Amino acid sequence: MAPPATRAQASVQHASAPLVGPGAQLAEVTIEGSRNAFVFYRRDRIECERRRDHGAAELGISALTALLDLPVDLPVPLTSLPAPLRKQIAALPRGAVTLTGDYVCRRAVRPLTVDLVIVRARSTHWEQGLARASRFKPFARRALLVAPPAHTRDDLLMRAAYLGIGVLEPTAEGLAWALAPEPYRPRRHTPVAWHFTEQLHTRLP
């Protein structure tokens, strides 16, 4: 059973619901050097069940690099692959691929997708908050939860807009978006981006 949501989680979820849409789950995790970041994600139910059923082992960055050279659910003759890739395949963790005769078939895919990451920052440290939120650019939409001093608010919004980072701030009625985050448009699939979802997957209840 998942732990009950904190008051902060409930406020963030309410404010972000129109942005992330239905079906997104929310977790509060420490990742990429940001403590207690709010992450909206969607599990791939079929992949998560497959991993449980097969006792799949964790996937590191080197394994993910090899897997991205293989199509999903399509048997490939081992003899058609370069020798270095064949060596990597032989060392892949349990559950990543199936080997049948002289064929290999990739099974592993990302266990989840990330809709939005919200980093928290103290009002006097919003510049560091923007720097930490910027680390998530290869992975998802990014935002900063902060109550900036009035005399720096315009500067914060200007710099956040330039970086594509949203700004969520407290108001008298609760949390509200002062600036929406820019959409996430990855140019290609990378082992690093996949590894981020694997790291998050291990931190979720």
Side-chain angles (χ1 to χ4, degrees):
M1 181 180 295
T6 65
R7 181 178 298 179
Q9 282 179 311
S11 297
V12 168
Q13 190 146 29
H14 177 76
S16 304
L19 192 64
V20 299
Q25 295 177 273
L26 174 62
E28 196 172 343
V29 298
T30 296
I31 194 166
E32 293 295 316
S34 287
R35 296 181 59 191
N36 304 114
F38 296 104
V39 181
F40 286 90
Y41 67 95
R42 299 169 193 271
R43 275 197 173 98
D44 184 324
R45 181 182 55 80
I46 293 175
E47 173 64 3
C48 291
E49 289 178 355
R50 184 196 70 82
R51 292 189 183 197
R52 284 195 298 269
D53 292 345
H54 291 84
E58 291 185 20
L59 297 170
I61 193 75
S62 60
L64 300 175
T65 301
L67 288 171
L68 282 176
D69 283 331
L70 298 172
V72 181
D73 291 332
L74 181 65
V76 176
L78 286 166
T79 54
S80 70
L81 302 175
L85 181 55
R86 291 201 300 272
K87 285 186 177 181
Q88 289 177 296
I89 288 171
L92 285 173
R94 181 180 62 255
V97 298
T98 54
L99 292 166
T100 308
D102 294 327
Y103 287 82
V104 60
C105 185
R106 172 183 154 194
R107 299 303 185 190
V109 296
R110 297 187 189 200
L112 52 85
T113 57
V114 180
D115 284 3
L116 175 66
V117 178
I118 303 175
V119 171
R120 293 199 270 197
R122 287 182 290 174
S123 60
T124 54
H125 291 71
W126 58 264
E127 290 176 290
Q128 292 94 322
L130 287 177
R132 287 188 287 112
S134 293
R135 298 174 192 167
F136 295 95
K137 185 175 182 179
F139 314 130
R141 287 182 294 180
R142 304 145 294 139
L144 186 65
L145 172 57
V146 65
H151 67 281
T152 64
R153 185 174 183 273
D154 288 345
D155 188 26
L156 163 63
L157 293 177
M158 180 179 65
R159 291 169 65 176
Y162 176 77
L163 295 169
I165 296 171
V167 176
L168 186 62
E169 62 180 359
T171 68
E173 291 75 32
L175 296 179
W177 288 97
L179 180 69
E182 70 177 12
Y184 173 58
R185 296 191 179 96
R187 295 182 179 179
R188 60 191 180 93
H189 296 295
T190 67
V192 172
W194 186 352
H195 191 234
F196 174 75
T197 67
E198 295 290 337
Q199 290 180 298
L200 179 59
H201 180 63
T202 63
R203 289 164 168 77
L204 294 174

